[in-house]
Each structure stands twice: as C-alpha cells, then as structure tokens.
Amino acid sequence: MDIRTQVSTNYGDMATKFADTWKSQVSRLQARFSTAIEEVRMPIEFPVDVPIVYVKKDSIIGVLSFLKTEQGFEYGFLADLTAIDESPAEPRFEIVYNLYSLTSKARIRVKVRLAEGEEISTAVPVWRGADWAEREIFDMFGVKFTGHPDLRRILMADRWEGHPLRKDYPLRGYQVFTDPDPINQSLLD
Amino acid sequence: MSKDGSAHFFTTKLDAMINWGRKNSLWPLPFGTSCCGIEMMATFAADFDISRFGAEAMRFSPRQADLLIVAGIINLKMAPVLRTVYEQMSEPKWVISMGACASSGGIFNVYSVLQGIDTMIPVDVYVPGCPPSPEGVMHALLRLQEMVQKGETHSQRRLKAEGKEYALTAKA
C-alpha cells in the first residue's frame, strides 16, 4: 500500500474534512509571513496527518500568535509542545507545536529547526501552558528558551548533568545520588 | 501465680520471646509507587487480610513503622527519598522488595531508574513477579517472620554486631 493513501484515523478523515480550510489557511500564512515560512507539508502530498508548517526561528512567536488570534484560524489551544533530536541531521533539533482549534476542530503543526546551542523565544506570552512544556524540553534536550520566566529542570534532579533525550546521551547514563536533594532556597517563601 | 497461690513459671530465652513479639506485630510502611502498590493494597484488604499475620497496622510515618514494603519502580529522583525514609525508621527494621522493578529495575534498564533498591538500602526478602500476586507477598511476610524469629535479618545482625540487640536492655 502506498503510504500516502488516505486512511481513517482516530480524529476522523481530517484530510478530507479540512482540505479546503487548510489550503486557504496555508496560503494566507505564506502571504502574511512570506520567507519566514520555510516549508509546508500538506496531507496526501506528504505522509502526514495534518499540515506541517516549518517556520524560521526568529518569526515563531509572530506566527504562533497569528495562528492563535487571527480570524479564520483561531488555533487557541496548544495541544502539545515538544522537541525531537534529529542528529546527525543538521540543524539538529526540531521544536514541535501541535495546535488545535476549538472553533473549527482543526489541527495544525508548526515546527522550528534549531541548531546546537541556538536559543528560541519562549511561547509563554502566547500560551501560559507552554511554561512547563518548555521546561521539559530544556531538561531533556538542553534547548534554551529566551524570556522564559523560570527555566529550571522539571523532571530530572537539579544536580543532574546532561540532557537524557539527546541522541548522544548514553541509555544507561545513571547518576545515582544517595543524599537528599539540596533545598532550593529561592523557591521558599 | 495461680488461684491457689502456687507459683507457675514458663521459662524461655529472652531473645526468643522478644523476636516472637516482633515477628507477630510487624507494622508496615507501604511504599507503593506503581502497579505493585495495587497488589499490595489487595494484600492488605479484606480478601487476603494481612491482619491474620499481625501486620495490618499500616503506618505512613517511618517513625512508627518497622517493615518497609517497597512496591514498585524507584527512579533515581526517588532513591534519596527512599533512603531517608529507611533511615528514619526505628530499629530493628525490615525491608521487603516487592516486584521486579524494586528488586532489579525490572524492564527499565534506562538512565532514570534505580537498578534495584538493594543498591540503596539492605533488603531482607525479595518477592519476584510483575506484579507479584498477594499470595507472593504473604509468602514473603511468612518468610520474614521466620527470619525475624531466628534473628537472621540485616537489621538484627547489624544490631547484634554493635551489641545493641535489645534496645530496651542495652540502654544502661
């Protein structure tokens, strides 16, 4: 079977349902942001379930707030915010924003490619809920978000060295601490 | 003394009597972190009824417990907490490692998981299974009772080596 053949998903046949919506939305995006949109992958053409919009790092906040507030888009819900380590590919990281529209029930995916050591603007001013998701990305991949209100580790111990979901982190890179975690005085009232 | 005034005696060794008391009044601290915790709760509940063995007094404060049942996966962030809880328990104290994860890390041989709680605290009885059945936990409890009676547990051996076998008499 051709991998591009359309199949039913848990979300229903989104590709048929939202084909026109997505087409007009993507052309509006490209008209508005022109070169800031690096690449667009549409369902059927590519083996993807929802359109993937690759955005340049510097215009990500503009694109996200446009998608959130603009009439006809209204992707008001940040369903997920995560990252992928694509090494040895260059640039190495992909930051993935999965958006959902509570009005049109459509979904869209925004991605940003980031090289090692590059920073990206925080999405917290757009969605308050991006706070902990970005902390998790920082914890697991070491990607820094400029302007984040509280960029600390969220899952691993504060003393942990390295970022475990990086491809070059050893699978069995245990760091065992026998004494209790030191109390972070700055977090106390 | 009996009713007619004659003296009645029952002689035994002091350690046998103390250990008999200890083994029949184990107070568990249920340290349940995942699915083993559910089986542990089933063991405590009416169907399997752990109070038949005198171990029904659950204590969530380590100061009031002498049996630590570690049921479930211990990740590296939890490991120092587990050690602190163990150190806070009063002597003599016993540990049951319940299930594959607590005993060896189980299927989780990755960066975030402690590879067996015996790397962190001494363990007296291991219960195999993923998760173990309540019968397995009860078997472990009976095995622990045997060990306590004979003074074979880690805690009792250490206290004996230190000459503090009986905390009540060793105070002097």
Side-chain angles (χ1 to χ4, degrees), chain B residues 91-113:
Chain B
E91 299 273 11
K93 50 195 170 186
W94 301 285
V95 179
I96 289 179
S97 167
M98 181 180 168
C101 294
S103 304
S104 69
I107 59 170
F108 304 104
N109 192 356
V110 289
Y111 63 91
S112 56
V113 175

Side-chain angles (χ1 to χ4, degrees), chain A residues 98-115:
Chain A
N98 286 305
L99 309 184
Y100 178 63
S101 170
L102 294 168
T103 47
S104 72
K105 315 293 182 200
R107 288 171 191 273
I108 200 166
R109 191 169 298 143
V110 181
K111 288 191 180 184
V112 183
R113 294 196 179 98
L114 272 189

Side-chain angles (χ1 to χ4, degrees), chain A residues 155 164 171-172 174 177-178, chain B residues 77 80 83-84 109-111 120:
Chain A
L155 294 173
L171 178 64
R172 298 184 178 88
Y174 319 114
F177 307 108
T178 51
Chain B
K77 208 173 175 182
R83 192 185 173 92
T84 309
N109 192 356
V110 289
Y111 63 91
M120 198 61 76

Side-chain angles (χ1 to χ4, degrees), chain B:
Chain B
M1 296 279 273
S2 64
K3 277 184 182 173
D4 62 1
S6 62
H8 282 210
F9 298 98
F10 177 72
T11 57
T12 179
K13 290 189 290 181
L14 185 64
D15 61 342
M17 197 189 75
I18 289 177
N19 284 337
W20 174 82
R22 281 171 176 167
K23 79 168 188 181
N24 287 307
S25 63
L26 297 168
W27 286 26
L29 189 158
F31 202 93
T33 52
S34 36
C35 40
C36 281
I38 306 294
E39 293 296 310
M40 179 178 64
M41 287 174 228
T43 317
F44 296 163
D47 273 13
F48 296 95
D49 194 12
I50 208 167
S51 65
R52 291 177 288 157
F53 312 108
E56 80 280 20
M58 302 304 143
R59 286 297 177 266
F60 294 90
S61 160
R63 303 281 187 207
Q64 299 170 351
D66 58 6
L67 168 61
L68 181 62
I69 303 181
V70 184
I73 190 166
I74 301 295
N75 57 41
L76 289 178
K77 208 173 175 182
M78 182 60 95
V81 179
L82 177 70
R83 192 185 173 92
T84 309
V85 165
Y86 176 77
E87 283 170 356
Q88 284 177 340
M89 287 165 65
S90 52
E91 299 273 11
K93 50 195 170 186
W94 301 285
V95 179
I96 289 179
S97 167
M98 181 180 168
C101 294
S103 304
S104 69
I107 59 170
F108 304 104
N109 192 356
V110 289
Y111 63 91
S112 56
V113 175
L114 190 68
Q115 298 301 300
I117 58 165
D118 48 7
T119 59
M120 198 61 76
I121 57 176
V123 176
D124 295 305
V125 185
Y126 298 86
V127 193
C130 185
S133 60
E135 289 86 349
V137 185
M138 289 191 295
H139 182 79
L141 196 83
L142 292 172
R143 176 81 189 99
L144 183 70
Q145 287 190 339
E146 282 174 29
M147 291 170 73
V148 170
Q149 180 68 70
K150 293 177 188 163
E152 281 177 348
T153 58
H154 285 287
S155 178
Q156 282 166 307
R157 282 180 187 166
R158 193 184 67 248
L159 290 177
K160 195 168 187 176
E162 291 170 1
K164 299 179 194 162
E165 203 174 357
Y166 307 109
L168 287 174
T169 53
K171 220 168 183 181

Side-chain angles (χ1 to χ4, degrees), chain A residues 39-43 48 50-54 108-111:
Chain A
E39 186 189 345
V40 178
R41 293 186 179 173
M42 295 296 281
V48 294
V50 299
I52 300 181
V53 185
Y54 285 88
I108 200 166
R109 191 169 298 143
V110 181
K111 288 191 180 184

